[in-house]
Amino acid sequence: MGPLLVLAGLLLIVYAALSSQGKIRFSYNQVINFCTFFYSSFLKPHSKEGALVGQQGALESFYKVQANVYDETRKLLLCGREDMLALAAAQLNFQAQQGLFRHSKPVWVDIGGGTGYNIEAMHAFLNVPDFFSAVFLVDLSPSLCGVAKRRFQRLGWDVKVVCQDARTFRLEDHLEKLEDAKPAARELSEYASAGINLVYKADLITMSYSLSMIPDYYTVVDSIVRLLAPTGLIGVVDFYVQSIVETAGRNYVGGSLNRHVNWLGRVFWRAWFDCDRVSLEGARRDYLEYRFGTKKILDQRNYLLGGIPYYVFIGCHCQGVFARSQDLLETVDASCTESPQIMPAKGHEFLLPLLPQPAIALETRSKAYESAIINLSSNLPLPSTYYQSHQARIYYDELLEKHTQFNGDYLYSFTWEDPRVDQRLLQISDNDTILCLT
């Protein structure tokens, strides 16, 4: 009991400090909300809730008491949600401008959406009722789903709240009357030849601090792979702890900047969150990055609450018809010729037996192309550069000392191929000095 009282005192000090700075409003109701959160998270024993059993019973035991104060007490704890939504919205806007949606408007499924905070927060970046043809919130807690329904009634939005296990959620059970969600016959035949069924697919799937609370996460991630449209996006934000050793040699995770968590942090945060059945083992994030191609990754810390590690992930299908496209391989091969970053160690030794001998003798491929061949032959996602909307620039490798020696001022290490783009982005003037090695 002593350590818990000390923790409560520290959290109250943090709230008071932020209140004095004007960052939050510290009122009597907020004290009550904080006490409710503290009791539910650290003092209340997990108990059976009526007829609910298994994971649903455990979730309801944890959330029922604090459902109405959930949003108010999670503002400081659950960081990165707006960052994930902003990145996803930027990708969706680009797809809309390029006419990449399978139908006039996209479908969004928020898995583990809880109270619906994410969906309302997305309105700061996209007009949710107008931009999406259908929005679904899937959560296993009846109490949180009740809060979400009241939220959308207040907003007047037609968001479908589904209290269901994410493993069994299927869009065809809810979109039977929405003909706009079905792709055109031409698209159906085009993808059917590739073994992909386009009917009832989601264009955006998000998970906000829910992957770490799902016991059977493998099947949930696999179900998301089946649910996501070929050109769809997945956005995830969650807690994690990992050592840099766990990701060494992986060229498909989009970089490892700030990913490493020291031994003490890994042990402490894993044990701390395990008290509330939040699992921080690295396998959850590893499997997510294995099943999806990485578009963007951010590794951050919540320093207001002791430096809790969390990540933001934006991804897509990793080995669909587009990832395997020879045209895409050739495009990146041309734009990343002789790039030194993304070739795995001893890659040539592994690659030579895989390539036809005439090809070796007649042409020299870029290391980006060679890396893609190795990854595909090993059933791994491609390097992050292959999944970008534009493949004109390759990923900066922050693990190489020759790239970090300039303390953040490093821009390029390759031939200045298109100065017009740099002129427009950097706004180079007569007062600037450029050193170009070509």
Side-chain angles (χ1 to χ4, degrees):
M1 181 64 68
L4 293 178
L5 293 177
V6 172
L7 174 64
L10 291 175
L11 292 177
L12 283 173
I13 292 174
V14 172
Y15 268 83
L18 293 176
S19 176
S20 64
Q21 298 174 11
K23 294 183 179 181
I24 62 173
R25 186 180 61 183
F26 196 66
S27 63
Y28 172 78
N29 289 335
Q30 202 161 33
V31 173
I32 297 300
N33 293 342
F34 167 78
C35 293
T36 302
F37 160 73
F38 186 82
Y39 168 74
S40 301
S41 300
F42 303 109
L43 299 178
K44 180 182 179 297
H46 291 286
S47 59
K48 183 177 180 181
E49 292 295 328
L52 301 179
V53 296
Q55 176 66 1
Q56 187 174 42
L59 289 174
E60 190 65 1
S61 172
F62 183 72
Y63 285 122
K64 185 175 182 179
V65 175
Q66 57 173 316
N68 292 324
V69 302
Y70 182 90
D71 289 332
E72 184 67 25
T73 57
R74 293 315 196 273
K75 291 180 180 179
L76 298 180
L77 178 62
L78 306 183
C79 296
R81 292 180 291 180
E82 288 78 9
D83 294 332
M84 181 269 288
L85 295 173
L87 290 170
Q91 295 283 339
L92 290 174
N93 270 323
F94 174 80
Q95 290 186 353
Q97 295 168 4
Q98 300 297 315
L100 299 180
F101 292 135
R102 301 166 297 118
H103 34 269
S104 59
K105 294 181 179 181
V107 174
W108 177 15
V109 177
D110 189 22
I111 295 179
T115 64
Y117 175 89
N118 278 353
I119 297 174
E120 182 175 4
M122 177 65 94
H123 201 61
F125 311 105
L126 296 172
N127 190 319
V128 173
D130 294 337
F131 190 86
F132 296 97
S133 63
V135 179
F136 293 88
L137 185 153
V138 182
D139 201 280
L140 198 55
S141 169
S143 296
L144 295 182
C145 287
V147 176
K149 290 178 180 179
R150 293 191 293 273
R151 177 193 296 271
F152 299 129
Q153 289 175 357
R154 170 177 57 82
L155 295 172
W157 293 359
D158 183 19
V159 176
K160 298 167 182 60
V161 179
V162 182
C163 187
Q164 184 179 347
D165 191 326
R167 296 175 298 180
T168 61
F169 175 78
R170 301 290 183 271
L171 276 177
E172 53 264 35
D173 298 333
H174 307 276
L175 283 178
E176 295 178 356
K177 297 182 180 180
L178 296 180
E179 294 298 326
D180 186 52
K182 297 182 179 181
R186 177 186 60 80
E187 293 177 303
L188 287 173
S189 60
E190 176 183 347
Y191 288 94
S193 60
I196 298 176
N197 180 13
L198 274 188
V199 180
Y200 304 120
K201 297 291 184 180
D203 300 281
L204 173 64
I205 298 177
T206 53
M207 300 182 73
S208 174
Y209 292 96
S210 54
L211 182 60
S212 59
M213 298 192 69
I214 299 174
D216 191 12
Y217 61 92
Y218 287 106
T219 55
V220 172
V221 173
D222 289 342
S223 68
I224 293 175
V225 173
R226 295 189 295 269
L227 180 62
L228 190 65
T231 57
L233 296 169
I234 176 172
V236 179
V237 55
D238 214 327
F239 303 117
Y240 83 101
V241 289
Q242 274 190 322
S243 166
I244 193 65
V245 176
E246 299 179 49
T247 59
R250 298 181 190 174
N251 64 349
Y252 57 87
V253 297
S256 301
L257 182 65
N258 205 35
R259 183 161 181 161
H260 177 72
V261 179
N262 61 45
W263 176 84
L264 182 60
R266 296 197 302 272
V267 172
F268 175 78
W269 291 121
R270 187 180 289 117
W272 179 266
F273 281 99
D274 191 59
C275 296
D276 290 326
R277 303 188 184 187
V278 178
S279 301
L280 270 59
E281 68 268 17
R284 295 173 183 268
R285 182 176 177 182
D286 290 342
Y287 193 62
L288 177 72
E289 293 173 331
Y290 170 70
R291 293 307 309 266
F292 295 98
T294 300
K295 280 180 168 286
K296 184 71 175 178
I297 194 76
L298 297 174
D299 294 292
Q300 302 291 336
R301 304 290 186 273
N302 182 354
Y303 289 109
L304 282 176
L305 295 180
I308 305 174
Y310 69 93
Y311 69 94
V312 177
F313 173 85
I314 302 294
C316 60
H317 276 294
C318 63
Q319 292 184 351
V321 291
F322 298 104
R324 292 184 180 274
S325 169
Q326 181 68 22
D327 291 339
L328 180 57
L329 292 178
E330 296 288 353
T331 299
V332 178
D333 185 35
S335 63
C336 300
T337 302
E338 298 304 324
S339 58
Q341 288 112 304
I342 56 179
M343 182 63 183
K346 299 182 180 180
H348 286 286
E349 299 177 11
F350 183 85
L351 180 67
L352 291 178
L354 301 177
L355 295 177
Q357 292 301 318
I360 300 174
L362 295 178
E363 60 183 351
T364 300
R365 292 291 191 181
S366 72
K367 293 179 177 64
Y369 186 92
E370 295 172 351
S371 180
I373 297 297
I374 293 175
N375 284 30
L376 289 176
S377 64
S378 303
N379 197 32
L380 294 173
L382 296 172
S384 179
T385 185
Y386 280 89
Y387 302 109
Q388 306 306 312
S389 301
H390 302 286
Q391 291 87 26
R393 294 291 184 267
I394 70 173
Y395 195 84
Y396 171 79
D397 191 344
E398 73 285 346
L399 297 181
L400 295 180
E401 184 179 354
K402 63 182 179 181
H403 289 180
T404 59
Q405 62 180 314
F406 300 104
N407 299 322
D409 296 328
Y410 173 86
L411 293 180
Y412 297 106
S413 64
F414 317 110
T415 303
W416 199 12
E417 297 176 351
D418 191 356
R420 293 173 298 178
V421 176
D422 298 281
Q423 172 70 38
R424 174 171 56 84
L425 295 178
L426 301 178
Q427 300 183 2
I428 302 171
S429 67
D430 296 336
N431 298 324
D432 296 314
T433 301
I434 300 174
L435 173 62
C436 180
L437 304 179
T438 182

